Amino acid sequence: MTGDYGHSFAGELLGTFMLVFFGCSTVAVTVLFAAHTGLLQVAVVWGIGVTLAIYATRHLSCAHLNPAVSLAMVIAGRMDVRKLPVYWLAQLTGGFLAGAAVYAVFSPSMAAVETARHIVRGAPESVLTAMLFGEYYPNPSSPVTCSVSLGGAFGVEALGTFWLVLVIFALTEGCNVGRPSSDVAPILIGLTVTVLISIFAPLTMAGFNPARDFGPRLFAFLAGWGQVAIPGPRGGFFTVYILAPLVGGSLAALLFHRLLEPLMRGKAGNCSCKDHFPL
């Protein structure tokens, strides 16, 4: 793999690895050590991880770091469809390797928690440690009264990804006079992830990224969690954590590309907000 494809592969693999490792590690220290005492703390670390991963790799691959984002870029004509398999393979590989790295760091603590709580890895109750890798609905740490159906979980993941992709497009559209400097955009994307996790994590653990879910989940499947990882205690992981983000991101791309972008370009001769906010 040479040239532009090689740069893209390297950037997406490294960036996705960073994003997933930082994010899953903050879940790990919360579950294993109660290091974080609130959802916002976890969400902020996830957001910082996203921001750092974008800054580290956007020169190589534009830092999609998410199969749903890459598909959205193709739909909106911002990326050649021939690059999509390269991006997806790199993202899934980065997620898998990040899962392996999380296991390498926290495996002794996982085993200690399982022993202390009489959890047999691969049994239904081992979802407590499996959630360090993949995602589950409802969130296993939510109150027992929390109820989320397969359809509801699909809707949550699709909606969250829709908002994430829509914000990414808005922050990077040249004719959007409200967009920030490109130096600041990664911070705002990370904050968007923080907001979305803060809202949706109690329901579905807030994935919004097929590589973030399937890469580590596949590692957990191979590392002994078996059917608790794939297909999961309630099944539907493909529908909720892979298909739903792809659908949500695609709808955001269509809305922006077909409606919002033309409206912005139609106002290109008067890209000013003075008529709305007079000085």
Side-chain angles (χ1 to χ4, degrees), residues 120-138:
V120 177
R121 187 171 297 181
E125 63 272 14
S126 66
V127 69
L128 178 68
T129 46
M131 66 183 288
L132 275 59
F133 301 96
E135 292 148 319
Y136 298 88
Y137 68 94

Side-chain angles (χ1 to χ4, degrees), residues 37-209:
T37 57
L39 175 59
L40 181 60
Q41 292 176 328
V42 176
V44 166
V45 175
W46 265 108
I48 293 172
V50 169
T51 297
L52 294 176
I54 294 173
Y55 276 128
T57 61
R58 63 179 178 167
H59 183 63
L60 290 171
S61 65
C62 293
H64 296 176
L65 317 182
N66 183 335
V69 173
S70 296
L71 179 59
M73 293 296 174
V74 170
I75 291 172
R78 294 190 178 191
M79 186 175 80
D80 191 328
V81 67
R82 290 175 294 183
K83 280 190 171 183
L84 191 60
V86 175
Y87 272 66
W88 279 3
L89 178 60
Q91 291 156 357
L92 292 172
T93 303
F96 180 87
L97 293 176
V102 169
Y103 184 82
V105 172
F106 295 104
S107 179
S109 299
M110 292 181 210
V113 167
E114 289 170 340
T115 299
R117 301 193 182 188
H118 307 290
I119 294 172
V120 177
R121 187 171 297 181
E125 63 272 14
S126 66
V127 69
L128 178 68
T129 46
M131 66 183 288
L132 275 59
F133 301 96
E135 292 148 319
Y136 298 88
Y137 68 94
N139 188 325
S141 62
S142 296
V144 294
T145 54
C146 180
S147 177
V148 182
S149 67
L150 175 62
F154 179 94
V156 166
E157 288 294 309
L159 179 61
T161 312
F162 174 89
W163 285 122
L164 174 60
V165 172
L166 193 66
V167 168
I168 290 171
F169 274 81
L171 292 175
T172 56
E173 169 53 44
C175 198
N176 177 14
V177 297
R179 76 188 188 282
S181 162
S182 63
D183 293 336
V184 177
I187 297 174
L188 297 180
I189 293 171
L191 287 174
T192 301
V193 172
T194 295
V195 169
L196 293 172
I197 291 175
S198 297
I199 296 170
F200 294 121
L203 300 173
T204 63
M205 294 183 65
F208 317 136
N209 184 336

